[in-house]
Amino acid sequence: MTKRHVSLPPLAEEGLRAFISEVDERLASDEDTCDVVEDVLIDLHGDREAYERWQSGEDVSPAERVRLQGYDPCNATLESEYYAEKDEDAFTESKYLQWLWRQFDATPMADNVEFALRFRRMIAEHLFEEVGDGCRFFKGITFTYGHNITVGDNVVIHDDVHLDDRGKLTIGDRVSISDDAHVYTHDHDSVDQTHVDNYHTIVEDDARITYDSMVRAGVRLGENSILAAKSSVSRDVPAHHVAAGTPAESVAIKDGWESVADSLDGANVDRRDQRKLDTTVPDDVTQFDEFGRDLSPPDR
């Protein structure tokens, strides 16, 4: 069973195309991205009249002022903005685009599937390092930065998925990531939780990450593999294998793929260290410990 084609009425389709094309062209132009995002969000949230009143010097309440200022991504901070090792130049641009994505998802139009899929797909072309053709991004997807993500062709990412790209995330062609899944590229030290290691996490072609599962940083999910629902994987999953459990292990080979798959005996190997990334913090960044605790183990 596959999907059926759904189309909007001609006038709605015309308006959709005109709007997305206009935003796409503005984001690709020399116009300041921060200004573009602010302008688009004001109209998407239906706040143009109040914004013009505020800009003309008329009185607005403190709450109105905070709301109107919030359309400008320069007046907002994201959690990833506090990460000491982030690429400042890359993040400056990706922050604005991530703000557009997130705030669009807060509008009623985000539930108009035909419109929303195409609008997010357009933003992804500007936000991600690379994005292929025919991708479908549903509501509530979040990222760390966005600019460290590469996505292949015909990828489907469902509602409320978190794609962490504090390290590097590569998603192949025809990958499916189900609702509430989390894919990580950074990991915290078990003793000192302020120490972070970044990795390259890889999801190969035709892999499926199913409902409410978690992929640990540095894992490679092999071609055509499956991570079962509510599983947590910290070791590589070979091509054509089905992994399940917490911690997840290869428990089967997909029917019909036995002749080209590695045996189960050779599975469940941790190769994450091969994908650890060198991470440096700029010299001019003043770091702080948000916990402020002495966690030095007594036996060291």
PDB file of all heavy atoms in Angstrom, residues 98-127:
ATOM      1  N   GLN A  98      16.491  28.702  11.462  1.00  0.00           N
ATOM      2  CA  GLN A  98      15.877  27.797  12.436  1.00  0.00           C
ATOM      3  C   GLN A  98      14.720  28.497  13.157  1.00  0.00           C
ATOM      4  O   GLN A  98      13.688  27.876  13.443  1.00  0.00           O
ATOM      5  CB  GLN A  98      16.931  27.328  13.441  1.00  0.00           C
ATOM      6  CG  GLN A  98      16.432  26.196  14.318  1.00  0.00           C
ATOM      7  CD  GLN A  98      17.469  25.659  15.274  1.00  0.00           C
ATOM      8  OE1 GLN A  98      17.105  25.070  16.281  1.00  0.00           O
ATOM      9  NE2 GLN A  98      18.750  25.838  15.004  1.00  0.00           N
ATOM     10  N   TRP A  99      14.883  29.790  13.429  1.00  0.00           N
ATOM     11  CA  TRP A  99      13.803  30.551  14.065  1.00  0.00           C
ATOM     12  C   TRP A  99      12.582  30.622  13.153  1.00  0.00           C
ATOM     13  O   TRP A  99      11.444  30.487  13.608  1.00  0.00           O
ATOM     14  CB  TRP A  99      14.290  31.947  14.412  1.00  0.00           C
ATOM     15  CG  TRP A  99      13.349  32.737  15.278  1.00  0.00           C
ATOM     16  CD1 TRP A  99      12.627  33.838  14.926  1.00  0.00           C
ATOM     17  CD2 TRP A  99      13.041  32.483  16.645  1.00  0.00           C
ATOM     18  NE1 TRP A  99      11.885  34.287  15.985  1.00  0.00           N
ATOM     19  CE2 TRP A  99      12.122  33.471  17.068  1.00  0.00           C
ATOM     20  CE3 TRP A  99      13.451  31.515  17.560  1.00  0.00           C
ATOM     21  CZ2 TRP A  99      11.611  33.517  18.358  1.00  0.00           C
ATOM     22  CZ3 TRP A  99      12.936  31.551  18.848  1.00  0.00           C
ATOM     23  CH2 TRP A  99      12.029  32.547  19.238  1.00  0.00           C
ATOM     24  N   LEU A 100      12.804  30.808  11.860  1.00  0.00           N
ATOM     25  CA  LEU A 100      11.699  30.820  10.894  1.00  0.00           C
ATOM     26  C   LEU A 100      10.981  29.482  10.896  1.00  0.00           C
ATOM     27  O   LEU A 100       9.746  29.420  10.914  1.00  0.00           O
ATOM     28  CB  LEU A 100      12.238  31.139   9.499  1.00  0.00           C
ATOM     29  CG  LEU A 100      11.230  31.098   8.341  1.00  0.00           C
ATOM     30  CD1 LEU A 100      10.089  32.093   8.559  1.00  0.00           C
ATOM     31  CD2 LEU A 100      11.939  31.375   7.008  1.00  0.00           C
ATOM     32  N   TRP A 101      11.732  28.389  10.888  1.00  0.00           N
ATOM     33  CA  TRP A 101      11.146  27.036  10.892  1.00  0.00           C
ATOM     34  C   TRP A 101      10.316  26.823  12.149  1.00  0.00           C
ATOM     35  O   TRP A 101       9.163  26.398  12.085  1.00  0.00           O
ATOM     36  CB  TRP A 101      12.281  26.021  10.808  1.00  0.00           C
ATOM     37  CG  TRP A 101      11.881  24.578  10.658  1.00  0.00           C
ATOM     38  CD1 TRP A 101      11.025  23.868  11.450  1.00  0.00           C
ATOM     39  CD2 TRP A 101      12.334  23.664   9.653  1.00  0.00           C
ATOM     40  NE1 TRP A 101      10.918  22.574  11.014  1.00  0.00           N
ATOM     41  CE2 TRP A 101      11.720  22.426   9.917  1.00  0.00           C
ATOM     42  CE3 TRP A 101      13.223  23.779   8.586  1.00  0.00           C
ATOM     43  CZ2 TRP A 101      11.965  21.299   9.127  1.00  0.00           C
ATOM     44  CZ3 TRP A 101      13.465  22.659   7.802  1.00  0.00           C
ATOM     45  CH2 TRP A 101      12.836  21.440   8.064  1.00  0.00           C
ATOM     46  N   ARG A 102      10.899  27.138  13.302  1.00  0.00           N
ATOM     47  CA  ARG A 102      10.206  26.889  14.574  1.00  0.00           C
ATOM     48  C   ARG A 102       8.958  27.755  14.723  1.00  0.00           C
ATOM     49  O   ARG A 102       7.910  27.273  15.177  1.00  0.00           O
ATOM     50  CB  ARG A 102      11.160  27.150  15.738  1.00  0.00           C
ATOM     51  CG  ARG A 102      12.273  26.118  15.894  1.00  0.00           C
ATOM     52  CD  ARG A 102      13.157  26.470  17.066  1.00  0.00           C
ATOM     53  NE  ARG A 102      14.208  25.479  17.275  1.00  0.00           N
ATOM     54  CZ  ARG A 102      14.534  24.961  18.453  1.00  0.00           C
ATOM     55  NH1 ARG A 102      13.884  25.339  19.538  1.00  0.00           N
ATOM     56  NH2 ARG A 102      15.513  24.078  18.561  1.00  0.00           N
ATOM     57  N   GLN A 103       9.069  29.024  14.384  1.00  0.00           N
ATOM     58  CA  GLN A 103       7.931  29.919  14.555  1.00  0.00           C
ATOM     59  C   GLN A 103       6.847  29.681  13.512  1.00  0.00           C
ATOM     60  O   GLN A 103       5.667  29.912  13.770  1.00  0.00           O
ATOM     61  CB  GLN A 103       8.397  31.373  14.543  1.00  0.00           C
ATOM     62  CG  GLN A 103       9.351  31.711  15.672  1.00  0.00           C
ATOM     63  CD  GLN A 103       8.806  31.295  17.028  1.00  0.00           C
ATOM     64  OE1 GLN A 103       7.704  31.673  17.409  1.00  0.00           O
ATOM     65  NE2 GLN A 103       9.582  30.497  17.747  1.00  0.00           N
ATOM     66  N   PHE A 104       7.229  29.219  12.326  1.00  0.00           N
ATOM     67  CA  PHE A 104       6.218  28.790  11.364  1.00  0.00           C
ATOM     68  C   PHE A 104       5.417  27.633  11.934  1.00  0.00           C
ATOM     69  O   PHE A 104       4.181  27.578  11.795  1.00  0.00           O
ATOM     70  CB  PHE A 104       6.868  28.380  10.045  1.00  0.00           C
ATOM     71  CG  PHE A 104       5.942  27.611   9.143  1.00  0.00           C
ATOM     72  CD1 PHE A 104       4.897  28.254   8.484  1.00  0.00           C
ATOM     73  CD2 PHE A 104       6.084  26.247   8.976  1.00  0.00           C
ATOM     74  CE1 PHE A 104       4.016  27.542   7.680  1.00  0.00           C
ATOM     75  CE2 PHE A 104       5.219  25.524   8.173  1.00  0.00           C
ATOM     76  CZ  PHE A 104       4.185  26.181   7.517  1.00  0.00           C
ATOM     77  N   ASP A 105       6.106  26.697  12.595  1.00  0.00           N
ATOM     78  CA  ASP A 105       5.416  25.542  13.177  1.00  0.00           C
ATOM     79  C   ASP A 105       4.447  25.940  14.283  1.00  0.00           C
ATOM     80  O   ASP A 105       3.595  25.146  14.679  1.00  0.00           O
ATOM     81  CB  ASP A 105       6.420  24.527  13.710  1.00  0.00           C
ATOM     82  CG  ASP A 105       6.864  23.535  12.651  1.00  0.00           C
ATOM     83  OD1 ASP A 105       6.392  23.631  11.497  1.00  0.00           O
ATOM     84  OD2 ASP A 105       7.693  22.652  12.964  1.00  0.00           O
ATOM     85  N   ALA A 106       4.560  27.160  14.793  1.00  0.00           N
ATOM     86  CA  ALA A 106       3.647  27.651  15.831  1.00  0.00           C
ATOM     87  C   ALA A 106       2.414  28.324  15.243  1.00  0.00           C
ATOM     88  O   ALA A 106       1.548  28.771  15.999  1.00  0.00           O
ATOM     89  CB  ALA A 106       4.380  28.622  16.757  1.00  0.00           C
ATOM     90  N   THR A 107       2.320  28.392  13.913  1.00  0.00           N
ATOM     91  CA  THR A 107       1.167  29.015  13.272  1.00  0.00           C
ATOM     92  C   THR A 107       0.139  27.960  12.868  1.00  0.00           C
ATOM     93  O   THR A 107       0.486  26.783  12.680  1.00  0.00           O
ATOM     94  CB  THR A 107       1.586  29.787  12.009  1.00  0.00           C
ATOM     95  OG1 THR A 107       1.962  28.859  10.975  1.00  0.00           O
ATOM     96  CG2 THR A 107       2.736  30.727  12.304  1.00  0.00           C
ATOM     97  N   PRO A 108      -1.128  28.336  12.687  1.00  0.00           N
ATOM     98  CA  PRO A 108      -2.130  27.384  12.193  1.00  0.00           C
ATOM     99  C   PRO A 108      -1.772  26.807  10.827  1.00  0.00           C
ATOM    100  O   PRO A 108      -2.141  25.678  10.510  1.00  0.00           O
ATOM    101  CB  PRO A 108      -3.414  28.226  12.131  1.00  0.00           C
ATOM    102  CG  PRO A 108      -3.200  29.323  13.117  1.00  0.00           C
ATOM    103  CD  PRO A 108      -1.732  29.631  13.055  1.00  0.00           C
ATOM    104  N   MET A 109      -1.022  27.563  10.012  1.00  0.00           N
ATOM    105  CA  MET A 109      -0.676  27.100   8.673  1.00  0.00           C
ATOM    106  C   MET A 109       0.230  25.876   8.701  1.00  0.00           C
ATOM    107  O   MET A 109       0.339  25.156   7.715  1.00  0.00           O
ATOM    108  CB  MET A 109       0.005  28.224   7.891  1.00  0.00           C
ATOM    109  CG  MET A 109      -0.911  29.385   7.549  1.00  0.00           C
ATOM    110  SD  MET A 109      -2.370  28.852   6.618  1.00  0.00           S
ATOM    111  CE  MET A 109      -1.603  28.221   5.131  1.00  0.00           C
ATOM    112  N   ALA A 110       0.876  25.620   9.827  1.00  0.00           N
ATOM    113  CA  ALA A 110       1.752  24.454   9.939  1.00  0.00           C
ATOM    114  C   ALA A 110       0.972  23.148   9.879  1.00  0.00           C
ATOM    115  O   ALA A 110       1.548  22.087   9.649  1.00  0.00           O
ATOM    116  CB  ALA A 110       2.558  24.522  11.231  1.00  0.00           C
ATOM    117  N   ASP A 111      -0.353  23.221  10.095  1.00  0.00           N
ATOM    118  CA  ASP A 111      -1.184  22.024  10.012  1.00  0.00           C
ATOM    119  C   ASP A 111      -1.744  21.795   8.615  1.00  0.00           C
ATOM    120  O   ASP A 111      -2.419  20.783   8.380  1.00  0.00           O
ATOM    121  CB  ASP A 111      -2.335  22.117  11.015  1.00  0.00           C
ATOM    122  CG  ASP A 111      -1.857  21.996  12.447  1.00  0.00           C
ATOM    123  OD1 ASP A 111      -1.008  21.125  12.704  1.00  0.00           O
ATOM    124  OD2 ASP A 111      -2.313  22.783  13.301  1.00  0.00           O
ATOM    125  N   ASN A 112      -1.518  22.719   7.701  1.00  0.00           N
ATOM    126  CA  ASN A 112      -1.896  22.543   6.302  1.00  0.00           C
ATOM    127  C   ASN A 112      -0.777  21.749   5.641  1.00  0.00           C
ATOM    128  O   ASN A 112       0.245  22.301   5.223  1.00  0.00           O
ATOM    129  CB  ASN A 112      -2.074  23.897   5.626  1.00  0.00           C
ATOM    130  CG  ASN A 112      -2.506  23.789   4.172  1.00  0.00           C
ATOM    131  OD1 ASN A 112      -2.388  22.734   3.549  1.00  0.00           O
ATOM    132  ND2 ASN A 112      -2.992  24.884   3.619  1.00  0.00           N
ATOM    133  N   VAL A 113      -0.920  20.431   5.569  1.00  0.00           N
ATOM    134  CA  VAL A 113       0.193  19.545   5.242  1.00  0.00           C
ATOM    135  C   VAL A 113       0.831  19.882   3.896  1.00  0.00           C
ATOM    136  O   VAL A 113       2.060  19.975   3.784  1.00  0.00           O
ATOM    137  CB  VAL A 113      -0.274  18.071   5.263  1.00  0.00           C
ATOM    138  CG1 VAL A 113       0.834  17.148   4.773  1.00  0.00           C
ATOM    139  CG2 VAL A 113      -0.694  17.679   6.677  1.00  0.00           C
ATOM    140  N   GLU A 114       0.030  20.095   2.865  1.00  0.00           N
ATOM    141  CA  GLU A 114       0.581  20.356   1.541  1.00  0.00           C
ATOM    142  C   GLU A 114       1.422  21.638   1.537  1.00  0.00           C
ATOM    143  O   GLU A 114       2.511  21.675   0.947  1.00  0.00           O
ATOM    144  CB  GLU A 114      -0.543  20.461   0.508  1.00  0.00           C
ATOM    145  CG  GLU A 114      -0.073  20.676  -0.931  1.00  0.00           C
ATOM    146  CD  GLU A 114       0.703  19.494  -1.480  1.00  0.00           C
ATOM    147  OE1 GLU A 114       0.596  18.373  -0.926  1.00  0.00           O
ATOM    148  OE2 GLU A 114       1.424  19.676  -2.483  1.00  0.00           O
ATOM    149  N   PHE A 115       0.920  22.655   2.186  1.00  0.00           N
ATOM    150  CA  PHE A 115       1.677  23.903   2.279  1.00  0.00           C
ATOM    151  C   PHE A 115       2.914  23.741   3.154  1.00  0.00           C
ATOM    152  O   PHE A 115       4.027  24.129   2.779  1.00  0.00           O
ATOM    153  CB  PHE A 115       0.781  25.014   2.825  1.00  0.00           C
ATOM    154  CG  PHE A 115       1.519  26.275   3.194  1.00  0.00           C
ATOM    155  CD1 PHE A 115       2.240  26.982   2.249  1.00  0.00           C
ATOM    156  CD2 PHE A 115       1.495  26.744   4.496  1.00  0.00           C
ATOM    157  CE1 PHE A 115       2.922  28.150   2.596  1.00  0.00           C
ATOM    158  CE2 PHE A 115       2.166  27.906   4.851  1.00  0.00           C
ATOM    159  CZ  PHE A 115       2.880  28.605   3.888  1.00  0.00           C
ATOM    160  N   ALA A 116       2.741  23.142   4.332  1.00  0.00           N
ATOM    161  CA  ALA A 116       3.816  23.089   5.318  1.00  0.00           C
ATOM    162  C   ALA A 116       4.990  22.241   4.845  1.00  0.00           C
ATOM    163  O   ALA A 116       6.155  22.614   5.067  1.00  0.00           O
ATOM    164  CB  ALA A 116       3.279  22.545   6.641  1.00  0.00           C
ATOM    165  N   LEU A 117       4.724  21.118   4.201  1.00  0.00           N
ATOM    166  CA  LEU A 117       5.818  20.276   3.716  1.00  0.00           C
ATOM    167  C   LEU A 117       6.682  21.021   2.709  1.00  0.00           C
ATOM    168  O   LEU A 117       7.914  20.944   2.733  1.00  0.00           O
ATOM    169  CB  LEU A 117       5.269  19.000   3.079  1.00  0.00           C
ATOM    170  CG  LEU A 117       4.626  17.982   4.021  1.00  0.00           C
ATOM    171  CD1 LEU A 117       4.077  16.795   3.223  1.00  0.00           C
ATOM    172  CD2 LEU A 117       5.629  17.479   5.059  1.00  0.00           C
ATOM    173  N   ARG A 118       6.046  21.757   1.829  1.00  0.00           N
ATOM    174  CA  ARG A 118       6.797  22.475   0.807  1.00  0.00           C
ATOM    175  C   ARG A 118       7.522  23.680   1.379  1.00  0.00           C
ATOM    176  O   ARG A 118       8.631  24.026   0.941  1.00  0.00           O
ATOM    177  CB  ARG A 118       5.856  22.869  -0.333  1.00  0.00           C
ATOM    178  CG  ARG A 118       5.449  21.650  -1.149  1.00  0.00           C
ATOM    179  CD  ARG A 118       4.124  21.787  -1.831  1.00  0.00           C
ATOM    180  NE  ARG A 118       4.141  22.747  -2.927  1.00  0.00           N
ATOM    181  CZ  ARG A 118       3.096  22.948  -3.736  1.00  0.00           C
ATOM    182  NH1 ARG A 118       1.978  22.249  -3.554  1.00  0.00           N
ATOM    183  NH2 ARG A 118       3.164  23.827  -4.709  1.00  0.00           N
ATOM    184  N   PHE A 119       6.927  24.337   2.371  1.00  0.00           N
ATOM    185  CA  PHE A 119       7.575  25.486   2.989  1.00  0.00           C
ATOM    186  C   PHE A 119       8.815  25.045   3.773  1.00  0.00           C
ATOM    187  O   PHE A 119       9.892  25.648   3.660  1.00  0.00           O
ATOM    188  CB  PHE A 119       6.593  26.212   3.903  1.00  0.00           C
ATOM    189  CG  PHE A 119       7.100  27.528   4.419  1.00  0.00           C
ATOM    190  CD1 PHE A 119       7.306  28.595   3.557  1.00  0.00           C
ATOM    191  CD2 PHE A 119       7.371  27.708   5.771  1.00  0.00           C
ATOM    192  CE1 PHE A 119       7.778  29.822   4.027  1.00  0.00           C
ATOM    193  CE2 PHE A 119       7.839  28.924   6.242  1.00  0.00           C
ATOM    194  CZ  PHE A 119       8.042  29.978   5.372  1.00  0.00           C
ATOM    195  N   ARG A 120       8.693  23.970   4.561  1.00  0.00           N
ATOM    196  CA  ARG A 120       9.849  23.482   5.306  1.00  0.00           C
ATOM    197  C   ARG A 120      10.935  22.972   4.362  1.00  0.00           C
ATOM    198  O   ARG A 120      12.130  23.150   4.628  1.00  0.00           O
ATOM    199  CB  ARG A 120       9.433  22.371   6.271  1.00  0.00           C
ATOM    200  CG  ARG A 120       8.485  22.825   7.366  1.00  0.00           C
ATOM    201  CD  ARG A 120       8.279  21.729   8.408  1.00  0.00           C
ATOM    202  NE  ARG A 120       7.105  22.012   9.214  1.00  0.00           N
ATOM    203  CZ  ARG A 120       5.921  21.451   9.035  1.00  0.00           C
ATOM    204  NH1 ARG A 120       5.763  20.541   8.068  1.00  0.00           N
ATOM    205  NH2 ARG A 120       4.900  21.775   9.796  1.00  0.00           N
ATOM    206  N   ARG A 121      10.508  22.335   3.294  1.00  0.00           N
ATOM    207  CA  ARG A 121      11.492  21.836   2.314  1.00  0.00           C
ATOM    208  C   ARG A 121      12.296  23.002   1.737  1.00  0.00           C
ATOM    209  O   ARG A 121      13.512  22.904   1.545  1.00  0.00           O
ATOM    210  CB  ARG A 121      10.753  21.087   1.199  1.00  0.00           C
ATOM    211  CG  ARG A 121      11.610  20.687  -0.005  1.00  0.00           C
ATOM    212  CD  ARG A 121      12.586  19.582   0.338  1.00  0.00           C
ATOM    213  NE  ARG A 121      13.322  19.130  -0.827  1.00  0.00           N
ATOM    214  CZ  ARG A 121      14.319  19.786  -1.405  1.00  0.00           C
ATOM    215  NH1 ARG A 121      14.703  20.947  -0.914  1.00  0.00           N
ATOM    216  NH2 ARG A 121      14.945  19.286  -2.453  1.00  0.00           N
ATOM    217  N   MET A 122      11.646  24.125   1.487  1.00  0.00           N
ATOM    218  CA  MET A 122      12.335  25.301   0.978  1.00  0.00           C
ATOM    219  C   MET A 122      13.320  25.846   2.013  1.00  0.00           C
ATOM    220  O   MET A 122      14.465  26.173   1.689  1.00  0.00           O
ATOM    221  CB  MET A 122      11.309  26.382   0.596  1.00  0.00           C
ATOM    222  CG  MET A 122      11.910  27.674   0.053  1.00  0.00           C
ATOM    223  SD  MET A 122      12.342  28.860   1.366  1.00  0.00           S
ATOM    224  CE  MET A 122      10.711  29.220   2.020  1.00  0.00           C
ATOM    225  N   ILE A 123      12.891  25.927   3.276  1.00  0.00           N
ATOM    226  CA  ILE A 123      13.798  26.414   4.319  1.00  0.00           C
ATOM    227  C   ILE A 123      15.000  25.482   4.440  1.00  0.00           C
ATOM    228  O   ILE A 123      16.137  25.943   4.618  1.00  0.00           O
ATOM    229  CB  ILE A 123      13.069  26.530   5.668  1.00  0.00           C
ATOM    230  CG1 ILE A 123      11.885  27.494   5.582  1.00  0.00           C
ATOM    231  CG2 ILE A 123      14.039  27.007   6.756  1.00  0.00           C
ATOM    232  CD1 ILE A 123      11.059  27.553   6.857  1.00  0.00           C
ATOM    233  N   ALA A 124      14.765  24.168   4.350  1.00  0.00           N
ATOM    234  CA  ALA A 124      15.852  23.195   4.490  1.00  0.00           C
ATOM    235  C   ALA A 124      16.952  23.425   3.461  1.00  0.00           C
ATOM    236  O   ALA A 124      18.135  23.208   3.746  1.00  0.00           O
ATOM    237  CB  ALA A 124      15.305  21.774   4.367  1.00  0.00           C
ATOM    238  N   GLU A 125      16.583  23.864   2.269  1.00  0.00           N
ATOM    239  CA  GLU A 125      17.590  24.116   1.236  1.00  0.00           C
ATOM    240  C   GLU A 125      18.552  25.233   1.644  1.00  0.00           C
ATOM    241  O   GLU A 125      19.719  25.241   1.242  1.00  0.00           O
ATOM    242  CB  GLU A 125      16.916  24.476  -0.082  1.00  0.00           C
ATOM    243  CG  GLU A 125      16.209  23.315  -0.746  1.00  0.00           C
ATOM    244  CD  GLU A 125      15.712  23.668  -2.132  1.00  0.00           C
ATOM    245  OE1 GLU A 125      15.585  24.876  -2.434  1.00  0.00           O
ATOM    246  OE2 GLU A 125      15.468  22.738  -2.926  1.00  0.00           O
ATOM    247  N   HIS A 126      18.068  26.157   2.449  1.00  0.00           N
ATOM    248  CA  HIS A 126      18.908  27.253   2.924  1.00  0.00           C
ATOM    249  C   HIS A 126      19.599  26.917   4.248  1.00  0.00           C
ATOM    250  O   HIS A 126      20.678  27.433   4.534  1.00  0.00           O
ATOM    251  CB  HIS A 126      18.074  28.516   3.106  1.00  0.00           C
ATOM    252  CG  HIS A 126      17.441  29.019   1.841  1.00  0.00           C
ATOM    253  ND1 HIS A 126      18.112  29.810   0.934  1.00  0.00           N
ATOM    254  CD2 HIS A 126      16.196  28.812   1.328  1.00  0.00           C
ATOM    255  CE1 HIS A 126      17.316  30.088  -0.087  1.00  0.00           C
ATOM    256  NE2 HIS A 126      16.142  29.505   0.133  1.00  0.00           N
ATOM    257  N   LEU A 127      18.976  26.037   5.043  1.00  0.00           N
ATOM    258  CA  LEU A 127      19.459  25.753   6.398  1.00  0.00           C
ATOM    259  C   LEU A 127      20.464  24.612   6.449  1.00  0.00           C
ATOM    260  O   LEU A 127      21.528  24.734   7.060  1.00  0.00           O
ATOM    261  CB  LEU A 127      18.268  25.440   7.304  1.00  0.00           C
ATOM    262  CG  LEU A 127      18.558  24.978   8.731  1.00  0.00           C
ATOM    263  CD1 LEU A 127      19.332  26.045   9.503  1.00  0.00           C
ATOM    264  CD2 LEU A 127      17.246  24.643   9.450  1.00  0.00           C
TER     265      LEU A 127
END
